[in-house]
């Protein structure tokens, strides 16, 4: 099934299928990890503003999700450590006004993170950005945040047919 699923048997079957498709010798596999983030069924959320805007105009389907072990770790302006990236985003959020070129780089990084499978870090960064933008109470920053959030939700919907449930929002 291609939809959202929380059944142990289905998840186990998919993970084992993925491992088997890698054609590795069992002795070469040290471990397998599965990351789970809460997704909300898209069809049950049609009343939210984000879902309505996503429903109106979904972007063309994005590139395929990175296959396990074939995707380089996403980087933001050359940084790969979470703390460094949080600091870079904080510095940007502390600046006087958002530049579109910077917002585009953030969107690209979030798309890379989603494809890489680090959904929990996407959620952490969105919550940190929201907190800083809320404190600014400036229309431009809120517009940048909303556009970034919409981009993330479109990517999640395109890849997983759901929306990302972000508790801090």
């Amino acid at each position: 099934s291609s939809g959202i699923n929380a059944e142990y048997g289905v998840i186990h079957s998919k993970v084992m299928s993925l491992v088997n498709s890698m054609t590795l010798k069992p002795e070469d596999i040290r471990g397998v990890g599965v990351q789970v983030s809460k997704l909300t069924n898209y069809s049950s959320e049609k009343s939210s503003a984000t879902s309505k805007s996503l429903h109106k105009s979904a972007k063309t389907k994005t590139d395929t999700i990175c296959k396990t072990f074939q995707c380089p770790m996403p980087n933001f302006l050359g940084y790969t450590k979470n703390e460094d990236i949080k600091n870079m985003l904080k510095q940007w959020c502390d600046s006087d006004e958002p530049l579109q070129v910077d917002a585009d780089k953030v969107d690209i990084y979030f798309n890379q993170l989603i494809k890489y499978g680090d959904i929990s870090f996407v959620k952490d960064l969105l919550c940190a950005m929201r907190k800083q933008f809320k404190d600014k109470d400036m229309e431009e920053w809120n517009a940048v945040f909303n556009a970034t959030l919409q981009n993330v939700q479109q990517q999640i919907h395109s890849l997983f047919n759901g929306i990302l449930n972000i508790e801090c929002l």
Side-chain angles (χ1 to χ4, degrees):
S1 87
S2 62
I4 300 168
N5 201 312
E7 296 295 321
Y8 168 80
V10 173
I11 294 171
H12 179 265
S13 171
K14 296 288 184 185
V15 169
M16 291 311 296
S17 174
L18 177 65
V19 169
N20 290 334
S21 73
M22 291 189 295
T23 63
L24 296 171
K25 294 182 230 166
E27 60 268 15
D28 290 341
I29 300 174
R30 183 174 190 174
V32 175
V34 177
Q35 181 174 347
V36 179
S37 283
K38 184 176 182 181
L39 289 173
T40 305
N41 188 337
Y42 181 70
S43 61
S44 69
E45 290 292 321
K46 287 185 179 169
S47 61
S48 77
T50 304
S51 296
K52 284 182 181 174
S53 64
L54 289 176
H55 190 59
K56 282 184 200 169
S57 74
K59 278 186 175 178
T60 319
K61 189 161 180 134
T62 57
D63 302 334
T64 353
I65 301 173
C66 294
K67 302 288 186 230
T68 307
F69 306 118
Q70 294 179 351
C71 195
M73 176 172 276
N75 75 76
F76 183 64
L77 304 175
Y79 294 97
T80 57
K81 292 182 181 174
N82 290 2
E83 282 309 308
D84 293 336
I85 293 163
K86 283 181 179 179
N87 287 334
M88 290 297 295
L89 283 176
K90 183 179 181 335
Q91 287 176 18
W92 177 55
C93 294
D94 285 342
S95 64
D96 291 334
E97 66 180 80
L99 299 177
Q100 187 59 49
V101 67
D102 295 331
D104 292 343
K105 289 176 185 175
V106 170
D107 286 348
I108 289 167
Y109 177 66
F110 280 158
N111 286 338
Q112 290 173 354
L113 276 178
I114 292 166
K115 290 177 189 175
Y116 190 73
D118 199 348
I119 308 299
S120 62
F121 191 47
V122 171
K123 289 169 67 170
D124 289 347
L125 291 175
L126 284 170
C127 288
M129 288 173 65
R130 174 36 111 203
K131 182 179 178 192
Q132 283 195 270
F133 289 168
K134 234 179 189 175
D135 294 343
K136 284 185 173 273
D137 195 32
M138 294 174 71
E139 210 172 295
E140 297 139 353
W141 283 104
N142 285 322
V144 166
F145 177 80
N146 290 333
T148 298
L149 178 60
Q150 183 173 358
N151 175 52
V152 165
Q153 295 293 19
Q154 285 175 333
Q155 182 82 347
I156 293 290
H157 180 259
S158 173
L159 296 174
F160 305 109
N161 195 30
I163 62 170
L164 189 60
N165 184 12
I166 306 172
E167 294 81 19
C168 69
L169 305 181

